[in-house]
Amino acid sequence: FDLGFQRSYLVRQIIDMKQEYTYPEVSFVFSSPLKRCRETAELIYPDIKPIIMDELTEYDFGEFEGQTAEELASDPAFGEWLKGGGEAAPPYGESNEDFSIRVRNCFEMIVDGLLQTGVEDAAIITHGGVMMAILSAFGLPERPMTDWVCPNGCGYTLRITPMIWSQARKFEVIAWVPDMPDEGQPIEEEVDDFDYEKEFTPNEKSQVMRDEKHRKMDQALDEIRKKFGESAIQRGTLLK
């Protein structure tokens, strides 16, 4: 498997997406130390030197690193790891619990620092697993990790309200990234003229609107997949 070819393809993919779509303007960029994330940061935000955070690195797969599920299918250790649980870990790798704690602590430290210093916009460029862990832990609407998978060079805009963050440690996921003019509405817009007030109770209305917003987000990300291919999903972008 030619990793050099894959990296070259992914770089070209990011360049093409930046030419066609719009990424949010930010004041600061935080990045995983791994090369593929640093390259993405440089391509999307060439004028901003990224702040490297070791804790944003991808899950440590130990002996499983670089192998496919098919290649590991006969490995008993792989079967045990797939059963899940906080203590589950690949041989010489990171446990699920340790990964979750590392990622959550790093994200909380970043957000607390931004709020304390008055920074209003920043980007985090990291890996798919890290991004899914952050979104499933802190995101509203609340969704399991697998619901937050997205293609390379894509991610979500987050709205962090100081009071909500300080009291509940939650943020709102309000839009997809990059912005795609004429291919969808912002997640926070109402999507049609349906009379939610008459048809649903307040709780039912809230759930229906959340589901509809997530559906439109999925549609927009599908458009990116169709245009730029189904490359390996190993990198995500969180932007505020």
Side-chain angles (χ1 to χ4, degrees), residues 7 31-40 52-54 56-59 65 125 127 234-235:
R7 177 161 291 140
S31 173
S32 159
L34 298 191
K35 183 177 180 180
R36 58 184 181 269
C37 286
R38 290 187 284 107
E39 284 181 341
T40 299
I52 303 301
M53 305 287 288
D54 291 340
L56 291 175
T57 246
E58 183 59 288
Y59 185 88
E65 188 71 46
I125 298 181
H127 310 270
Q234 297 184 6
R235 173 171 57 206

Side-chain angles (χ1 to χ4, degrees), residues 10-66:
L10 295 177
V11 167
R12 184 70 252 173
Q13 185 183 43
I14 298 295
I15 292 172
D16 290 345
M17 289 174 65
K18 190 178 179 185
Q19 289 175 346
E20 183 159 352
Y21 299 135
T22 302
Y23 287 88
E25 294 185 5
V26 299
S27 302
F28 291 89
V29 174
F30 298 87
S31 173
S32 159
L34 298 191
K35 183 177 180 180
R36 58 184 181 269
C37 286
R38 290 187 284 107
E39 284 181 341
T40 299
E42 291 168 5
L43 289 169
I44 297 176
Y45 298 109
D47 299 325
I48 302 176
K49 183 177 180 180
I51 300 169
I52 303 301
M53 305 287 288
D54 291 340
E55 296 83 358
L56 291 175
T57 246
E58 183 59 288
Y59 185 88
D60 182 355
F61 289 96
E63 289 186 350
F64 298 161
E65 188 71 46

Side-chain angles (χ1 to χ4, degrees), residues 59-64 75-99:
Y59 185 88
D60 182 355
F61 289 96
E63 289 186 350
F64 298 161
D75 187 335
F78 183 64
E80 287 299 311
W81 178 67
L82 285 179
K83 293 178 181 178
E87 297 301 318
Y92 304 104
E94 188 173 25
S95 75
N96 295 337
E97 183 177 4
D98 287 344
F99 171 70

Side-chain angles (χ1 to χ4, degrees), residues 58-219:
E58 183 59 288
Y59 185 88
D60 182 355
F61 289 96
E63 289 186 350
F64 298 161
E65 188 71 46
Q67 301 183 70
T68 66
E70 290 75 16
E71 292 170 337
L72 292 166
S74 61
D75 187 335
F78 183 64
E80 287 299 311
W81 178 67
L82 285 179
K83 293 178 181 178
E87 297 301 318
Y92 304 104
E94 188 173 25
S95 75
N96 295 337
E97 183 177 4
D98 287 344
F99 171 70
S100 179
I101 291 172
R102 163 169 68 84
V103 171
R104 292 200 314 266
N105 287 346
C106 179
F107 184 76
E108 289 189 56
M109 180 174 62
I110 290 173
V111 173
D112 289 340
L114 294 174
L115 293 176
Q116 289 168 11
T117 55
V119 175
E120 295 184 354
D121 42 57
I124 296 176
I125 298 181
T126 183
H127 310 270
V130 175
M131 189 169 75
M132 290 188 291
I134 291 171
L135 288 161
S136 63
F138 303 110
L140 295 173
E142 294 183 338
R143 301 281 181 175
M145 285 184 67
T146 52
D147 278 13
W148 295 113
V149 173
C150 68
N152 293 304
C154 300
Y156 305 94
T157 295
L158 317 177
R159 177 165 58 204
I160 300 175
T161 305
M163 183 175 292
I164 296 174
W165 177 255
S166 64
Q167 294 182 2
R169 279 316 202 225
K170 292 289 183 180
F171 56 71
E172 299 168 87
V173 183
I174 63 169
W176 47 81
V177 174
D179 182 42
M180 294 168 284
D182 302 322
E183 293 188 25
Q185 303 173 56
I187 294 172
E188 57 188 341
E189 280 189 14
E190 290 200 14
V191 295
D192 54 38
D193 296 324
F194 185 80
D195 193 338
Y196 292 95
E197 299 293 346
K198 290 183 179 179
E199 298 293 334
F200 297 109
T201 66
N203 286 341
E204 289 173 335
K205 172 190 171 184
S206 178
Q207 183 62 53
V208 168
M209 291 300 292
R210 285 198 300 268
D211 290 345
E212 182 64 11
K213 289 173 183 179
H214 204 81
R215 183 186 67 78
K216 289 189 69 62
M217 201 186 320
D218 289 342
Q219 286 180 342

